[in-house]
Amino acid sequence: MNQDKIARWLRRLVLAGLLGYVTYAAYLHQVLGGRKAPSVHALCPYGALESLYSLLFAGGLIQKVFSGTVVLLVLTVVLAILFRRSFCGLLCPFGALQELVALTGQKLFRRRFTLPDRVDRPLRYLKYVILVLTTGMAWYYGKLWMAPYDPYAAYGHITTLAEYAAEKPENVIGVILLVVTLAGSLLYDRFFCKYLCPAGAFYAVIGKLSPTKIERNAALCIQCKLCNKACPVNIDVAQATVITTAECLNCNECVVTCPRKGALAVKTAKKPVQPVVILAFIVMLFFGTILVAQATGNFQVMPSGVKKGEGVSLSEVKPEPQSIIKEWFVAK
């Protein structure tokens, strides 16, 4: 088995493992409760971004967000700076779920569907609007404002979905968005990632700083367009010289699929790097950092009593972010 095949199967194995872990942890959370198993909120770095304002100005994390989430946020930002949206393409369990559903759709329909450009292009900007809206509302209200509308949170209640939807009216929206995400992914690869994911939008912005990019050697390219077919976010790799778009997930599927050696290459700071090396480095950095954080007591994902900065509600941590924001505007 060559390096490209190893990279492809290792990536799939990592994604499948993370999806399996999150699914099992979510199940245990429903069965055992929040003090014995983490919720999906505690396993998602976006929660730390929603809590960042309260951490900086109110001295505590908002409810359901713990120190482990902050570690994940810092870690994934570092990955985005080094290797673009590599968390999205190589480590995200919700992305793995979409790819699994997309693979089922391709087997079922014997083809890959794409939206027309006039629809696809404007929709790509929707995730940036959602990023600003959800972080802004979380910072203003001091709570996980997005949670009831989050399809990932709905997936975390997959075994009790009916009860979750009935718990409060807003949860129905999250369930509907989960159904839309799965149905959309059945037809269009990475549907949520392309159009709705605020975390993906955040990493896309950060990833513009990255020295990593994919380059196409036009002299070696045979225009088979297998790279286009392999790309889960429908980038026209076969016509590009350098892939610098924020949409690239750094999954490197185009590179490992290319039949012509050297036609496509991943380069970091202009030096070629094998996809399997990038994947191995990212996996070791990601899980190694988590292990170190756990060993030093800095990776909390469940409550251990009510302590300031450990998932307490901002109603218990003064001043509230609303008052800080209002005072700032008055001062201006």
Side-chain angles (χ1 to χ4, degrees), residues 168-227:
K168 51 186 178 179
E170 306 97 292
N171 288 353
V172 175
I173 298 175
V175 174
I176 291 172
L177 285 175
L178 176 62
V179 173
V180 169
T181 295
L182 296 178
S185 297
L186 194 66
L187 300 173
Y188 309 104
D189 289 353
R190 290 272 187 158
F191 181 85
F192 185 76
C193 300
K194 286 188 287 193
Y195 305 122
L196 299 174
C197 184
F202 175 68
Y203 296 129
V205 173
I206 300 296
K208 297 298 285 185
L209 302 172
S210 176
T212 300
K213 60 194 70 174
I214 295 171
E215 295 185 8
R216 183 179 69 92
N217 188 325
L220 295 176
C221 179
I222 58 175
Q223 284 297 313
C224 64
K225 297 191 176 179
L226 289 176
C227 51

Side-chain angles (χ1 to χ4, degrees), residues 310-323:
E310 292 187 354
V312 295
S313 170
L314 274 186
S315 62
E316 303 171 37
V317 183
K318 302 297 183 180
E320 294 184 350
Q322 298 98 313
S323 63

Side-chain angles (χ1 to χ4, degrees), residues 112 114 189 216 221 223-240 243 253-255 257-258 264:
R112 297 173 76 229
T114 56
D189 289 353
R216 183 179 69 92
C221 179
Q223 284 297 313
C224 64
K225 297 191 176 179
L226 289 176
C227 51
N228 287 7
K229 293 179 181 179
C231 179
V233 290
N234 310 118
I235 298 170
D236 190 0
V237 181
Q239 297 301 317
I243 309 298
E253 282 294 301
C254 59
V255 178
T257 301
C258 181
L264 285 175

Side-chain angles (χ1 to χ4, degrees), residues 2 26 43 101 125 140 232 240 242 320 332:
N2 62 32
L43 301 172
V101 174
Y125 291 99
Y140 185 81
V242 181
E320 294 184 350
K332 290 293 180 180

Side-chain angles (χ1 to χ4, degrees), residues 80 92 110:
C92 178
R110 303 285 183 178

